[in-house]
Amino acid sequence: MSLDSSLLEIDSLTVRRGANEILSHLSLSVSAGAPFAITGESGSGKSTLLFAIAGLLAPHAGTIRVQSQPISGITNRERARIVGLVFQDYQLFPHFSVRENILLATKLHQIKGAAESAQELLAELHMDQLADRYPHELSGGQRQRVALARSLILSPRLLLLDEPSAALDAKTSKDLAVLLERLNKRSQILVVSHDISFLDLFCTRRLSMSKGRLIGNTNA
Amino acid sequence: MPRVLAFILSLFMCVASWQEAFGRSEPLRIGLTGKYPPFNYFGADGKLVGFDVDIARALCIRLQRPCEFKILQWDGILSALLSGRIDAVIGSMAVTEERGQVVRFTLPYYLSGAQLFVPSTSRPEPERPGFRIGVTLGTTYGVFARQRYPKAEIRTYKGDVEVLQDLQANRIDAMITDKLVGLYMKKSREADIKPLGGLLFEERIAIPVRPSDQSLLGNLNTELKALKASPEYAALNEKYFGEQPVSTNQTWNLPAMARLLLRGLLDTLLISFEGIGLGILLSALLTLITLSFGGWIGKALAVAVDFVRATPFMVQLFALYFGLPSIGIRMSAWNAAILAIAVHSAAYLTEIAKTAYLAVPSGQRWAAKSLGLSSWESLRHVVFPQMLPLLTAPTLNTVVAMIKDSAIVSVISVHELTLQAQELISATFRPLELYAAVAVLYFCVTYPLLILGRRLERAYARKGLLHVP
């Protein structure tokens, strides 16, 4: 895939909650490249946009394509291998160990060689000593890395992160920025965050969002 | 030819006399309820005893036929007689005009009737306003009491034993029961009571047979006349209703009573666990339907669940057992009990399951979806395992509550622990010991379940799956 071909293509996306229009006629095109960020005040619709791209909520109008494939026309299982999402509060499964969290989807989707990939991922994230721990035994930063690994094991083309620095101190934020820059080589990173100093560490491509609309050059 | 004829004739006579001999030894099938001490009831050792039973045995010996007792419900006993399933009822049936139209009665084998009993030491004034008289629910005694003592306050009870208990505890001033029943209580339980005044009405107790069974009627009448004139009858009278108290050893048989109580406990457990098992399946189904169909189906089910939770278990039980037959759905008391427990527990369990489902953060379902899990996979691997810690203790609490509430099914004559104990109490009149034993038996079953619930909660808390305050 060439660098200038569009990885994510959003056309006139509208999402409503009740009478409120959270996203209105939003269009965006993101090509593969450096980590991409969307900034904006809370309530501007950033998270809703991520959830829509991840297929967790159905748009009222408009289309979302990843690698030219409309994500509304494919199954959950297919979509999970194209788009991954790391939630702001991680949403690890508390009844599973770190390893079980990471391997649940691969086990259900019968993906071969997942155990080895998980081991490599854990090593890369410096989590290999903690594979048998449970989420409540981990620190916030460690939990986030489990959530990253849980998404990355499915090798998504696009990895979405919702406010990844929200619960982290300055030191951990810096480590995360380094990590995300590295991970961007596997999966295109798309971050939404209002933490500009965090984004300054690694995100050169940015758009800001206000009241459900993007401001600036939406053809990045 | 005449020789052949003689042979056939003698053969015929032979068969006839053999038939007669066979007929004589055919058992006399006698219907009774087994629930009417001292006339017919199951003693502390589980054997059928009582005045009726002794009379029946004496008559069988005189008729040279073995006795075969059949336990039947009172309201079905005459149809059993008419349909030929039994030959006679020796179960303290009073002669009435209505009954006389469908069956033939023998001579009465005893006379009795409604009698007012008061504590021996009291100076009763039954004419005084507010005089408290206890009667058994469903008898005509209440009606007669109101006619005879219009100023009295009439209280109704489940059975004579309960009336007597309250009379002895001074919670009522007098009781009305059958004269012979009262005399038997006085004798067997050393109840300090005495009859006051004459009979409120007299009843003639006799044996009904089928109208077509003329020979049995004749034979029974002949033998009854002889029996009543014999010293045997006088001895029976003395045994049950005389001044000499019966020995309590006869009714206090510890191993037999323990056996009966344990059998009652087993039935309590069978009914509870079958009912709750069914209730768990039902609640799983209800929860799935409620959660997967919003809209009016979910709302209708929620209202149905609330309805069951907001109405008394006993009313639900009665509706199933006594109500459904009127629309053609009949079931045994045992099945009605299981169904009532299933419905009642399902309502509580559905509520518990719904609460547990909603307690799992919706982010967990979203995370599962974002990882490509189907709705079923999400429920099975992500949501349900997190519901489990929240379900365990409340479910065990419901099981415990249901085992305790299963005592209520005794009201439709299911022989579980509580009814078994009540029957033993009516035979032995040892309410304190027996109710204490029953309480201990319930406790032995329910307490481990409560402990188990607590242990599981602590284990879940250690795994970080549950917050225990």
Side-chain angles (χ1 to χ4, degrees):
Chain A
M1 177 170 290
S2 67
L3 268 175
D4 53 304
S5 79
S6 200
L7 176 62
L8 170 67
E9 195 88 50
I10 298 175
D11 184 30
S12 197
L13 180 69
T14 300
V15 173
R16 291 191 201 98
R17 191 167 296 152
N20 291 344
E21 220 163 58
I22 312 291
L23 301 177
S24 39
H25 305 287
L26 183 146
S27 294
L28 171 68
S29 175
V30 179
S31 57
F36 193 99
I38 294 171
T39 60
E41 297 300 309
S42 59
S44 59
K46 307 187 299 288
S47 298
T48 305
L49 178 59
L50 281 198
F51 278 43
I53 300 170
L56 298 181
L57 45 89
H60 292 85
T63 53
I64 302 167
R65 287 192 182 82
V66 179
Q67 286 185 316
S68 311
Q69 188 156 33
I71 59 135
S72 55
I74 57 180
T75 62
N76 262 353
R77 188 173 286 202
E78 290 166 329
R79 193 169 46 233
R81 306 199 65 174
I82 300 172
V83 186
L85 171 61
V86 176
F87 292 78
Q88 181 176 350
D89 46 6
Y90 320 134
Q91 295 294 346
L92 298 184
F93 304 131
H95 54 298
F96 287 144
S97 68
V98 167
R99 194 192 310 278
E100 289 165 338
N101 262 282
I102 295 169
L103 289 175
L104 174 67
T106 61
K107 199 176 77 189
L108 293 173
H109 302 175
Q110 294 165 335
I111 296 171
K112 291 201 179 77
E116 292 77 28
S117 320
Q119 204 54 47
E120 286 165 25
L121 260 175
L122 284 168
E124 188 180 344
L125 298 171
H126 308 296
M127 291 288 291
D128 39 351
Q129 302 299 313
L130 304 173
D132 296 315
R133 295 274 182 91
Y134 282 82
H136 75 283
E137 299 168 319
L138 303 178
S139 72
Q142 290 168 334
R143 283 183 212 179
Q144 186 173 50
R145 276 179 276 159
V146 178
L148 275 166
R150 189 174 69 174
S151 289
L152 288 171
I153 190 101
L154 295 171
S155 319
R157 202 54 210 91
L158 184 63
L159 180 63
L160 314 172
L161 292 99
D162 190 6
E163 299 283 1
S165 64
L168 305 179
D169 56 40
K171 164 81 173 67
T172 329
S173 289
K174 218 169 270 176
D175 294 346
L176 176 64
V178 173
L179 177 63
L180 289 180
E181 205 164 12
R182 200 168 75 226
L183 292 177
N184 191 56
K185 295 187 182 73
R186 297 168 175 260
S187 302
Q188 172 64 49
I189 302 277
L190 195 164
V191 181
V192 307
S193 176
H194 65 273
D195 184 352
I196 302 298
S197 59
F198 167 67
L199 293 177
D200 282 343
L201 295 170
F202 73 111
C203 265
T204 48
R205 300 196 292 168
R206 278 184 229 173
L207 274 181
S208 80
M209 202 171 164
S210 174
K211 292 177 186 157
R213 291 167 190 277
L214 286 168
I215 302 157
N217 180 12
T218 58
N219 210 345
Chain B
M1 191 65 181
R3 284 178 65 177
V4 173
L5 207 67
F7 176 73
I8 291 172
L9 200 67
S10 61
L11 197 73
F12 183 75
M13 283 171 72
C14 192
V15 168
S17 64
W18 178 76
Q19 260 187 339
E20 195 187 351
F22 181 79
R24 270 180 174 275
S25 65
E26 208 174 285
L28 184 64
R29 294 165 306 167
I30 296 162
L32 32 70
T33 62
K35 285 182 193 155
Y36 189 47
F39 296 100
N40 62 83
Y41 65 105
F42 289 92
D45 53 1
K47 288 196 180 114
L48 189 63
V49 289
F51 184 76
D52 289 337
V53 178
D54 287 345
I55 292 282
R57 291 219 167 95
L59 287 172
C60 284
I61 289 166
R62 284 161 189 271
L63 291 168
Q64 296 176 9
R65 292 174 67 171
C67 268
E68 189 181 309
F69 292 104
K70 301 236 179 201
I71 304 304
L72 295 162
Q73 293 291 327
W74 183 248
D75 51 12
I77 211 160
L78 282 183
S79 54
L81 176 65
L82 292 171
S83 64
R85 278 187 285 148
I86 51 172
D87 302 311
V89 177
I90 306 184
S92 290
M93 184 173 277
V95 179
T96 65
E97 210 173 306
E98 288 145 358
R99 288 173 183 154
Q101 282 167 4
V102 289
V103 294
R104 296 292 299 277
F105 278 103
T106 60
L107 305 168
Y109 62 94
Y110 73 88
L111 298 179
S112 192
Q115 172 72 54
L116 190 76
F117 284 90
V118 294
S120 306
T121 49
S122 75
R123 291 176 163 204
E125 305 162 68
E127 314 296 340
R128 157 177 77 80
F131 186 76
R132 298 162 301 178
I133 302 177
V135 297
T136 299
L137 189 70
T139 61
T140 49
Y141 300 153
V143 178
F144 281 91
R146 276 191 191 91
Q147 282 171 5
R148 177 74 180 74
Y149 306 108
K151 288 177 186 162
E153 179 191 328
I154 310 297
R155 294 199 186 164
T156 50
Y157 291 83
K158 214 181 118 198
D160 279 325
V161 175
E162 287 80 6
V163 189
L164 181 62
Q165 278 168 355
D166 257 14
L167 182 63
Q168 294 190 316
N170 272 323
R171 288 196 276 254
I172 49 175
D173 302 306
M175 67 184 283
I176 295 178
T177 186
D178 181 272
K179 181 177 181 179
L180 293 181
V181 172
L183 289 176
Y184 175 74
M185 286 177 167
K186 178 177 164 64
K187 181 183 172 70
S188 64
R189 287 156 193 173
E190 292 152 36
D192 210 5
I193 56 172
K194 64 181 180 194
L196 183 77
L199 286 175
L200 295 170
F201 63 92
E202 190 190 69
E203 283 182 326
R204 291 181 299 134
I205 307 301
I207 304 169
V209 296
R210 280 183 294 280
S212 56
D213 228 349
Q214 282 300 329
S215 67
L216 180 61
L217 184 70
N219 290 343
L220 280 172
N221 272 335
T222 311
E223 300 306 336
L224 256 181
K225 247 184 230 168
L227 178 64
K228 284 178 78 173
S230 71
E232 196 182 350
Y233 185 81
L236 280 180
N237 229 339
E238 175 59 33
K239 175 178 165 192
Y240 288 99
F241 314 111
E243 288 298 319
Q244 290 297 319
V246 288
S247 113
T248 44
N249 287 342
Q250 235 176 320
T251 51
W252 189 251
N253 177 342
L254 213 52
M257 282 172 41
R259 237 183 353 260
L260 287 172
L261 284 181
L262 286 176
R263 205 163 66 193
L265 178 67
L266 183 71
D267 282 347
T268 285
L269 293 179
L270 277 176
I271 285 184
S272 303
F273 286 121
E274 281 178 37
I276 293 164
L278 207 60
I280 288 174
L281 292 180
L282 195 60
S283 69
L285 196 69
L286 283 174
T287 312
L288 279 178
I289 294 175
T290 317
L291 294 174
S292 32
F293 299 91
W296 66 269
I297 297 179
K299 280 197 188 104
L301 281 177
V303 170
V305 164
D306 281 347
F307 182 80
V308 173
R309 295 201 312 143
T311 49
F313 177 63
M314 201 198 282
V315 173
Q316 293 161 13
L317 183 69
F318 280 164
L320 285 176
Y321 187 60
F322 297 115
L324 286 186
S326 65
I327 55 165
I329 303 169
R330 264 166 221 289
M331 59 187 110
S332 65
W334 181 269
N335 288 342
I338 287 176
L339 191 61
I341 289 174
V343 169
H344 198 75
S345 59
Y348 280 90
L349 294 171
T350 302
E351 198 62 23
I352 290 168
K354 225 164 73 183
T355 310
Y357 179 83
L358 295 174
V360 177
S362 56
Q364 290 283 304
R365 284 182 277 277
W366 288 23
K369 194 178 175 188
S370 81
L371 292 172
L373 273 61
S374 67
S375 308
W376 173 250
E377 287 169 337
S378 165
L379 183 66
R380 159 89 180 68
H381 297 282
V382 174
V383 180
F384 186 70
Q386 295 185 62
M387 287 168 67
L388 209 54
L390 304 167
L391 288 175
T392 308
T395 298
L396 283 171
N397 285 342
T398 303
V399 171
V400 166
M402 220 55 246
I403 290 173
K404 292 188 295 168
D405 280 358
S406 75
I408 291 173
V409 307
S410 62
V411 297
I412 59 167
S413 296
V414 174
H415 263 84
E416 43 62 72
L417 182 54
T418 301
L419 184 60
Q420 195 63 257
Q422 286 173 342
E423 287 187 359
L424 284 175
I425 289 165
S426 78
T428 62
F429 204 63
R430 298 288 192 113
L432 181 64
E433 293 91 331
L434 279 159
Y435 280 133
V438 165
V440 168
L441 286 175
Y442 276 111
F443 180 77
C444 288
V445 172
T446 53
Y447 188 60
L449 291 174
L450 292 175
I451 294 291
L452 178 68
R454 263 176 237 157
R455 291 245 167 111
L456 285 171
E457 279 201 325
R458 278 206 291 270
Y460 285 131
R462 272 198 301 277
K463 282 188 175 176
L465 298 176
L466 191 69
H467 299 285
V468 178

